[in-house]
Amino acid sequence: MRLIDTLYQACFEFIDNRIKTIRQAIQETQASADQETKSSAGDKYETGLSMMQLDMEKQAEQLAEDPRR
């Protein structure tokens, strides 16, 4: 196998692993948001959900950066 082919394959494997990691992070963030229960401290609850939403948006942006498209 030529060096360029090996490097090309390594790049795709890196990108695939990154996509899997981001998708898993999105799923974990969503699961965390789903499990969050509203407590008497409403502001704390709202802040936590907002932070999770920002994390999911950041992860979605990273997925949109897939250089293979």
Side-chain angles (χ1 to χ4, degrees), residues 5-30:
D5 294 330
T6 303
L7 291 173
Y8 188 76
Q9 183 64 33
C11 288
F12 271 106
E13 288 174 10
F14 175 81
I15 291 167
D16 285 339
N17 287 334
R18 182 169 165 88
I19 289 170
K20 287 176 188 175
T21 300
I22 293 168
R23 286 186 175 152
Q24 182 178 5
I26 289 171
Q27 289 175 346
E28 290 171 0
T29 303
Q30 183 63 53

Side-chain angles (χ1 to χ4, degrees), residues 34-45:
D34 292 345
Q35 292 177 357
E36 190 74 25
T37 58
K38 191 162 190 166
S39 65
S40 59
D43 288 343
K44 181 180 177 184
Y45 170 79

Side-chain angles (χ1 to χ4, degrees), residues 37-54:
T37 58
K38 191 162 190 166
S39 65
S40 59
D43 288 343
K44 181 180 177 184
Y45 170 79
E46 296 298 328
T47 300
L49 285 180
S50 294
M51 291 178 68
M52 287 181 230
Q53 181 65 33
L54 288 173

